Amino acid sequence: MKFDSEIQKRRTFAIISHPDAGKTTLTEKFLLFGGAIQTAGAVKSNKIKKHATSDFMEIERQRGISVATSVMSFEYKNTLINLLDTPGHKDFAEDTYRTLTAVDSVVLVIDAVKGVEEQTRKLMEVCRMRDTPVIVFINKLDRDGKLPFDLMDEIEKELNIHLHPLSWPINMGKDFKGVYNLFQKSLLLFNPNQKATEEDIVPLTDLSDPVLDKLVGEKDANHLREDVELIEGVYGDFKPAPYLAGKTAPVFFGSAINNFGVKELLDTFIQIAPIPRNMATTTRVVDVQEDKFSGFIFKIHANLDPKHRDRIAFLRVCSGKFERNKFYHHVRLDKDVRFSNPYSFLARDKDVIQEAYPGDVVGLFDTGNFKIGDTLTEGEDFYFTGIPSFSPEIFKEVVNKDPMKTKQLEKGLLQLTDEGVAQLFTQHNGNRKIIGCVGDLQFEVIQYRLLQEYGASVQFNTLPFYKACWITSENKAKLDEFTRFKTGNVVLDKDGHLVYLAQSQWFLNTEITNNPEIQFHFTSEIHK
Ligand code: G4P
């Protein structure tokens, strides 16, 4: 319990959303409350502009911005908040999924006009895999959106999670008058052209109080009374346990751009969001309160300057105290390493840090020693589990255009895929190299970076596959037979695991039906 006071202070989380729902705007408002930035507009989003899909300068520029805003740490009411940014662009979804392995909870932003969208579904699936506690923020109440009860139904059904409203809106769009905070029993009034102030908050423990009619008019007051009665009847009192177990998500309504409902969200967040959690490893559960340091790498970021191939590896501290210049055990390489310039991400003060505690993220300068999923300890051998690789959706064969640069190409492919930019597969019993990505944009990034950083020139040939499944079986003979028959579809991942590439859902279903003794997995755990 040596570091208990540091642990109790920390909340490490991410804001996730389908692009354009308002993640960047909400992030910025949080940072303003935390005093980490002084003016609105200071956080230029980490998202790649919609029309810049093949603009390399834009990609490069974004890589610079996204290192700087990867982790935003700030203090708010004696709580140290580590907000981990996630790229909005869907082609970088895998980066987002991996970042979710390093957080203890998330805030999910949903656009009240659009409801649940494609990325919302995928991101929630990842949260569900880890039982990550989720708070939902329904944004853009200043616009005419779907009705609140309909939205609640849609979210519950589509995301397969129970909801528990902690605030409730009075109308929407041009008639939007504010939200009633069911958690704090207060009314927050909306003023379209003005920032919400403390005066706009009216304590209101009893909704039958006639003051409500005076503030929002009799009709809306009665409507709110009915809604709240229904909500309290259906949902009862808010209980933290199902939220912390990832089963129930509290819901807030507001408008990020108008800074409305954001403070209520943040205030409740610091009260209910979990402190850094215990983490499972390949040998045992690491208790966050343990004295000895442990942590893992969840993201690697290439240097912006192509002349220097060093990278920043992002380490999440899981237990103990991380100290500058102290030797730690790099489990995979079985060697001791130390860091003289660990980098902190305090938004106001990006600097070398002396120490870090569970929940913190430290940037380590790396010259190629780290892979995603690597673990540092004080000597013990284990890996943190639950850091999956996801099935890519686009596959291309790498064609080397310059045989003189074969070595550089191989090195480049290995290093870029260690960074998690894409997944590399090798033909089973062959040498063909296949790259699998979630989005097309990554192929352009890879081609560009191979040339710039490794001098290797490649071309990609599109392959007709749509999904990769890791295959396993208790019956080795059956697995051998399958790989022999399906030789054109079976490849090896970087760790030598067998992977089946399916041409279509139909082929995949057929193989699953025809081979009951073989298990098809859509994610692969880096460490089991
Ligand atoms: P993202 O990071 O999730 O992709 O979304 P972002 O915050 O960039 O917001 C997407 C768009 O939605 C932005 O408009 C933003 O101003 C707007 N927005 C965010 N919150 C609200 C809200 O509460 N109400 C309304 N009406 N709009 C909101 P944009 O025109 O795409 O960009 P910008 O020119 O305003 O930056």
Side-chain angles (χ1 to χ4, degrees):
M1 302 288 269
K2 228 163 139 185
F3 308 118
D4 188 50
S5 63
E6 295 292 343
I7 294 166
Q8 296 299 334
K9 261 177 81 171
R10 282 165 168 76
R11 304 287 182 281
T12 300
F13 81 113
I15 302 180
I16 55 175
S17 76
H18 187 88
D20 276 346
K23 178 173 73 75
T24 312
T25 312
L26 186 64
T27 302
E28 185 170 290
K29 303 299 176 198
F30 274 10
L31 294 183
L32 280 167
F33 280 119
I37 53 169
Q38 308 307 324
T39 49
V43 183
K44 268 299 155 230
S45 79
N46 175 4
K47 65 181 182 185
I48 290 178
K49 292 256 176 330
K50 285 163 223 151
H51 306 296
T53 45
S54 51
D55 181 343
F56 295 124
M57 287 323 291
E58 179 64 17
I59 295 169
E60 286 297 285
R61 195 181 66 78
Q62 287 295 339
R63 278 171 54 202
I65 291 175
S66 55
V67 167
T69 62
S70 282
V71 184
M72 291 160 277
S73 302
F74 58 95
E75 275 202 47
Y76 179 71
K77 297 191 173 171
N78 295 325
T79 305
L80 207 155
I81 299 177
N82 294 313
L83 170 49
L84 274 52
D85 197 15
T86 53
H89 198 289
K90 76 169 182 22
D91 285 9
F92 291 90
E94 197 163 348
D95 221 12
T96 300
Y97 301 156
R98 248 181 259 116
T99 297
L100 294 181
T101 65
V103 301
D104 300 306
S105 70
V106 303
V107 169
L108 169 67
V109 184
I110 289 182
D111 183 331
V113 183
K114 297 194 175 138
V116 173
E117 296 173 86
E118 189 198 342
Q119 273 303 104
T120 330
R121 261 179 231 111
K122 289 198 175 156
L123 289 162
M124 268 304 286
E125 266 173 41
V126 180
C127 292
R128 300 307 303 268
M129 280 168 63
R130 312 175 55 81
D131 296 326
T132 308
V134 179
I135 296 180
V136 175
F137 182 73
I138 299 182
N139 191 27
K140 306 198 185 180
L141 266 281
D142 58 318
R143 295 179 57 189
D144 284 312
K146 301 185 181 185
L147 294 173
F149 279 115
D150 292 348
L151 270 169
M152 299 269 294
D153 266 356
E154 178 179 327
I155 299 169
E156 288 205 326
K157 278 203 195 95
E158 294 228 16
L159 303 183
N160 189 23
I161 187 161
H162 295 296
L163 298 182
H164 191 121
L166 288 186
S167 84
W168 198 253
I170 304 169
N171 302 333
M172 280 192 165
K174 58 181 182 337
D175 297 326
F176 181 48
K177 290 198 178 153
V179 292
Y180 180 64
N181 189 326
L182 293 122
F183 191 59
Q184 274 153 2
K185 308 268 182 240
S186 60
L187 184 70
L188 178 64
L189 294 169
F190 180 61
N191 242 323
N193 301 314
Q194 222 174 287
K195 255 174 58 182
T197 64
E198 295 291 326
E199 273 122 67
D200 295 316
I201 303 173
V202 185
L204 203 63
T205 39
D206 180 6
L207 278 181
S208 61
D209 193 328
V211 80
L212 179 64
D213 302 75
K214 244 197 240 138
L215 290 169
V216 301
E218 196 186 325
K219 184 169 151 260
D220 288 333
N222 284 335
H223 204 153
L224 178 69
R225 288 180 184 117
E226 281 165 25
D227 283 354
V228 170
E229 197 184 324
L230 186 64
I231 292 164
E232 288 181 340
V234 173
Y235 298 98
D237 285 340
F238 172 71
K239 295 189 190 66
Y243 157 64
L244 294 174
K247 304 290 177 232
T248 297
V251 181
F252 287 83
F253 290 84
S255 168
I257 195 98
N258 291 297
N259 208 352
F260 189 84
V262 176
K263 187 170 177 296
E264 291 62 35
L265 171 67
L266 188 56
D267 284 341
T268 314
F269 170 82
I270 59 169
Q271 275 187 51
I272 65 172
I275 60 165
R277 64 189 191 279
N278 300 340
M279 304 271 230
T281 76
T282 41
T283 58
R284 64 186 184 86
V285 172
V286 166
D287 192 317
V288 63
Q289 299 282 1
E290 286 177 21
D291 291 351
K292 288 205 168 145
F293 160 78
S294 67
F296 71 95
I297 305 293
F298 64 93
K299 171 171 167 158
I300 294 175
H301 215 296
N303 196 318
L304 200 56
D305 180 353
K307 286 191 225 70
H308 297 99
R309 222 179 274 156
D310 54 342
R311 316 182 282 185
I312 295 176
F314 290 74
L315 171 90
R316 148 101 194 200
V317 180
C318 299
S319 65
K321 177 160 84 167
F322 172 88
E323 287 174 77
R324 180 183 172 202
N325 280 326
K326 192 168 164 180
F327 276 102
Y328 293 113
H329 177 54
H330 186 312
V331 175
R332 181 175 55 86
L333 299 182
D334 190 22
K335 75 175 190 189
D336 289 341
V337 288
R338 69 172 169 170
F339 305 92
S340 50
N341 293 309
Y343 186 83
S344 91
F345 294 95
L346 274 170
R348 250 189 308 189
D349 179 23
K350 285 194 183 49
D351 216 345
V352 168
I353 50 145
Q354 303 300 329
E355 56 193 40
Y357 296 93
D360 286 344
V361 173
V362 181
L364 304 175
F365 288 103
D366 171 40
T367 47
N369 284 325
F370 284 123
K371 272 202 222 193
I372 284 167
D374 275 348
T375 298
L376 293 179
T377 66
E378 289 197 27
E380 203 176 330
D381 280 331
F382 58 69
Y383 291 104
F384 289 93
T385 53
I387 308 165
S389 282
F390 291 87
S391 175
E393 284 158 23
I394 305 172
F395 299 86
K396 296 191 183 186
E397 181 183 352
V398 184
V399 181
N400 186 358
K401 291 209 306 192
D402 182 357
M404 302 291 288
K405 296 280 167 66
T406 305
K407 276 238 148 57
Q408 285 88 330
L409 172 62
E410 297 219 333
K411 185 168 178 194
L413 281 175
L414 284 176
Q415 289 203 342
L416 292 186
T417 47
D418 277 354
E419 273 177 36
V421 178
Q423 291 181 50
L424 180 66
F425 303 103
T426 311
Q427 188 187 16
H428 190 228
N429 294 331
N431 239 335
R432 279 169 77 191
K433 297 258 182 292
I434 295 168
I435 286 186
C437 290
V438 180
D440 253 327
L441 194 51
Q442 269 123 325
F443 288 102
E444 296 181 32
V445 174
I446 292 166
Q447 192 176 34
Y448 176 75
R449 288 189 55 194
L450 281 173
L451 189 63
Q452 294 293 314
E453 295 168 33
Y454 300 88
S457 150
V458 297
Q459 185 185 312
F460 291 115
N461 285 350
T462 305
L463 297 171
F465 300 122
Y466 107 115
K467 205 150 238 161
C469 308
W470 284 265
I471 46 175
T472 56
S473 176
E474 301 273 293
N475 186 337
K476 189 174 174 310
K478 272 267 178 281
L479 200 58
D480 286 347
E481 186 188 305
F482 182 81
T483 48
R484 228 184 8 261
F485 273 129
K486 300 281 159 199
T487 205
N489 293 69
V490 176
V491 292
L492 297 172
D493 73 6
K494 271 172 87 175
D495 300 314
H497 298 131
L498 287 171
V499 177
Y500 168 71
L501 303 181
Q503 282 99 323
S504 68
Q505 184 70 46
W506 184 85
F507 274 103
L508 182 57
N509 290 346
T510 312
E511 296 306 349
I512 293 174
T513 318
N514 291 347
N515 297 281
E517 286 191 68
I518 295 178
Q519 283 81 50
F520 294 75
H521 313 268
F522 295 97
T523 59
S524 121
E525 282 253 334
I526 294 180
H527 303 294
K528 284 200 187 121

